[in-house]
Amino acid sequence: MSSPSTQQDWLELKNTLVYQDKAWIDGQYHTAAGGKTYTVTNPATGEVIVNMAACQEADVDLAVACAKRTFEAGTWSMASPAHRKEVLKNLAALIRQHTDELALLESLNMGKPVADAVSIDIPGSAACIEWYAEAIDKIYGDVAPTDSNNIATITREPVGVVGAVVPWNFPLDIAVWKLAPALVTGNSVVLKPAEESPHTVLKLAELAKEAGLPDGVLNIVTGVGAVTGQALGLHYDVDCLVFTGSTATGKRFLKYSAESNMKQVWPETGGKSPNLIFADCDLDKAVAGAINGIFFNQGEVCSANSRILVDNKIKAEFVEAFVKAAEKLVLGDPLDPQTQVGAIIDTAQVERMLAAIERAKEQGAKLVLGGKTDASKRFLYPTIFDQVTSSMDVAIEEIFGPVAAILGFDSEEEAIDIANNSIYGLAASVWSNDLSRVYRVSRRLRAGTVSVNTVDALDFSTPFGGYKQSGFGRDLSLYALDKFTQLKTTWIKLS
Ligand code: NAD
């Protein structure tokens, strides 16, 4: 069948889908202990998709034991880099072959426009796996500068059992950001997807088996955070726990580690990223960038540019153009390829966002666009507040939705102060045509990524992660390998 190109095509494909409802342990589907389940629903319609296996502590124990056994057996952990490269390249190719099915599952699980899943999430996942696969047989160890009576080598070894806990906003992409470097370096993995969005990683596990990954190297435990996630965080045989999600849950994982085996924990957490727009920028490009920076993926992006800081000299002009552009965004059925703004993850999140909007109004911010839902109360229109100040909640709290807060500034110094006035430090953007200014300002912004004359600059070749309470450690790039490997010194005394 040719790729779907209309809403009708996607609906027809949807009718043929088979939804998995079990966890994946030791290369096969697994029913949770006691037959426990929880409900996965389609955020755009409220339809129940499946009653999914809710893994309990016993299931997590089983998955971890399986990961430990396969790691110690060495079939994967001691395999040559060339072999691991081949298997992961096979997996990337299989993902590409299944783009439509994966994109549809991604959209049905979390409400994002299927067109974005087809063009961004799924090809991005395949490319990420391929990037790490291509890298792994080009990495060398070191020889230390000892005297000539000794040789000391420094080599990277896999950590062992990696637990990975991921959120729902980019279910496949963020899982792959953890899985690709973890698997390519020889670890065994137990992954817990967000409860809302388990389907694409379950399909990925099936494809990994088909690609040649030995059973038990990749295990998926579906379930709720406070049970399945906690059991993984507290497990004594998990050697490293990589996490993406909220700052509050990231802190829990640090605690779980302290209460159990001091496993390494690498949290990638929340954000309230500033977008600094100086008067000397190209305004049309800055407006287009700001739209993408806050409304892409319904604003459900950790690095969303939710605080827009604009030079007061051009603020009125910016606000007018920004509102006009936001009005044009098409909100609607995620399966309609024309849709640009899909459904919010669940109705509780919609209620939370509406409460944040009411609070912003009460605190004196001026609502200039949106602030309301559609009739189904599952979609939130792009929302823009002007006349925001740093002390208002809308400038402080992560809303994780399509809500932009515009703040004015009069000087470069003031812009930097406002930008850095946050507990978060994930990303920032700067718009200016003055090279000295962009470099000066970028150096002083306390954020893991500064995008200049663009937003959310991201590539497999560059590290991604936060300063301050946006977490630590980095996803992507060769730097991510630091999380999934440990250094081994082997000292040989020559006779
Ligand atoms: P969340 O913290 O609620 O959940 C993330 C994961 O943790 C899920 O798998 C969930 O089941 C699990 N979890 C929840 N409570 C748990 C507990 N008590 N013990 C163990 N595990 C638990 O976050 P979310 O709502 O899924 O995602 C939104 C958040 O993720 C936002 O704050 C966003 O900024 C952040 N995020 C960060 C990045 C990044 O790279 N820094 C990327 C995407 C999302």
Side-chain angles (χ1 to χ4, degrees):
M1 177 186 151
S2 59
S3 275
S5 58
T6 64
Q7 187 178 18
Q8 190 53 35
D9 292 346
W10 285 109
L11 285 169
E12 280 169 20
L13 184 61
K14 180 178 170 225
N15 291 336
T16 69
L17 279 185
V18 178
Y19 301 103
Q20 262 314 324
D21 61 359
K22 296 185 178 61
W24 176 268
I25 299 177
D26 205 8
Q28 51 191 314
Y29 282 108
H30 169 91
T31 304
K36 289 250 165 70
T37 60
Y38 72 95
T39 306
V40 177
T41 48
N42 177 346
T45 60
E47 281 169 279
V48 172
I49 300 177
V50 285
N51 292 317
M52 175 61 73
C55 288
Q56 306 296 300
E57 205 177 316
D59 304 300
V60 173
D61 282 347
L62 190 70
V64 173
C66 178
K68 189 176 174 197
R69 191 177 67 244
T70 55
F71 182 77
E72 288 173 352
T75 326
W76 182 251
S77 55
M78 304 290 272
S80 69
H83 177 68
R84 287 192 224 128
K85 168 180 168 170
E86 189 191 320
V87 170
L88 290 177
K89 284 188 73 173
N90 291 343
L91 175 57
L94 286 167
I95 291 173
R96 290 194 178 104
Q97 284 169 27
H98 289 79
T99 296
D100 295 340
E101 179 185 350
L102 287 164
L104 184 53
L105 287 170
E106 202 78 321
S107 175
L108 294 173
N109 270 184
M110 65 74 62
K112 74 168 66 202
V114 74
D116 287 350
V118 168
S119 62
I120 300 168
D121 298 66
I122 312 307
S125 301
C128 180
I129 290 173
E130 200 165 58
W131 193 89
Y132 281 104
E134 288 291 358
I136 198 62
D137 61 352
K138 298 163 192 77
I139 294 171
Y140 292 75
D142 296 316
V143 178
T146 58
D147 64 40
S148 55
N149 296 321
N150 297 282
I151 296 177
T153 60
I154 304 164
T155 47
R156 280 182 183 270
E157 295 191 348
V159 181
V161 176
V162 171
V165 179
V166 293
W168 46 260
N169 59 337
F170 293 96
L172 188 63
D173 263 349
I174 292 179
V176 160
W177 290 8
K178 317 287 187 198
L179 291 177
L183 292 174
V184 85
T185 44
N187 297 282
S188 289
V189 180
V190 180
L191 177 115
K192 193 200 97 57
E195 35 275 63
E196 296 84 349
S197 54
H199 282 117
T200 45
V201 293
L202 286 170
K203 184 71 197 175
L204 181 81
E206 273 181 30
L207 297 177
K209 180 174 174 130
E210 192 180 335
L213 192 72
D215 287 349
V217 173
L218 171 60
N219 306 279
I220 313 284
V221 286
T222 50
V224 300
V227 178
T228 322
Q230 174 167 310
L232 207 48
L234 285 170
H235 209 291
Y236 276 76
D237 285 333
V238 171
D239 300 296
C240 167
L241 193 296
V242 285
F243 169 76
T244 294
S246 62
T247 295
T249 310
K251 289 181 182 179
R252 280 181 194 269
F253 276 101
L254 294 169
K255 242 170 123 178
Y256 296 152
S257 168
E259 286 165 6
S260 57
N261 62 341
M262 265 175 76
K263 60 179 69 62
Q264 295 183 38
V265 175
W266 299 101
E268 296 280 352
T269 52
K272 189 79 189 174
S273 298
N275 183 0
L276 285 65
I277 301 179
F278 288 94
D280 58 14
C281 73
D282 181 327
L283 194 62
D284 291 343
K285 288 187 181 153
V287 168
I291 290 283
N292 197 29
I294 181 61
F295 299 126
F296 170 63
N297 213 47
Q298 303 75 243
E300 295 167 326
V301 179
C302 51
S303 53
N305 291 195
S306 50
R307 289 185 296 150
I308 306 179
L309 282 46
V310 191
D311 191 323
N312 280 323
K313 289 197 272 302
I314 57 161
K315 191 156 87 62
E317 199 185 343
F318 172 85
V319 172
E320 192 186 335
F322 184 57
V323 169
K324 237 185 217 162
E327 276 169 346
K328 290 196 188 123
L329 292 171
V330 181
L331 173 142
D333 181 2
L335 299 190
D336 181 343
Q338 305 308 316
T339 294
Q340 294 166 295
V341 181
I344 299 298
I345 186 69
D346 60 38
T347 47
Q349 290 295 323
V350 174
E351 289 304 322
R352 198 183 51 75
M353 288 171 199
L354 289 173
I357 289 167
E358 278 315 303
R359 221 166 42 246
K361 286 197 246 173
E362 282 160 26
Q363 292 178 357
K366 183 176 169 201
L367 181 69
V368 288
L369 188 73
K372 58 177 196 284
T373 64
D374 74 325
S376 76
K377 297 202 160 96
R378 298 183 173 280
F379 295 75
L380 182 66
Y381 281 97
T383 297
I384 301 173
F385 280 103
D386 191 10
Q387 295 173 17
V388 174
T389 61
S390 282
S391 60
M392 294 178 186
D393 290 346
V394 70
I396 297 172
E397 292 169 4
E398 184 182 40
I399 295 177
F400 215 60
V403 181
I406 302 176
L407 299 87
F409 65 80
D410 289 315
S411 68
E412 190 177 300
E413 201 58 33
E414 191 189 0
I416 294 167
D417 279 352
I418 298 173
N420 285 338
N421 184 11
S422 172
I423 62 163
Y424 300 113
L426 189 54
S429 302
V430 179
W431 295 83
S432 164
N433 284 323
D434 176 343
L435 182 60
S436 302
R437 185 204 292 279
V438 293
Y439 195 65
R440 202 166 52 228
V441 172
S442 303
R443 291 281 307 264
R444 291 185 56 200
L445 290 174
R446 306 256 299 132
T449 299
V450 179
S451 304
V452 176
N453 292 333
T454 184
V455 290
D456 274 338
L458 188 90
D459 184 68
F460 310 123
S461 61
T462 52
F464 178 79
Y467 282 27
K468 303 194 264 182
Q469 292 188 45
S470 291
F472 48 84
R474 294 292 180 265
D475 277 331
L476 302 178
S477 82
L478 295 181
Y479 292 101
L481 300 183
D482 294 345
K483 301 197 285 199
F484 301 103
T485 55
Q486 46 200 348
L487 296 179
K488 162 77 64 74
T489 296
T490 307
W491 186 289
I492 305 170
K493 185 161 180 52
L494 303 174
S495 55

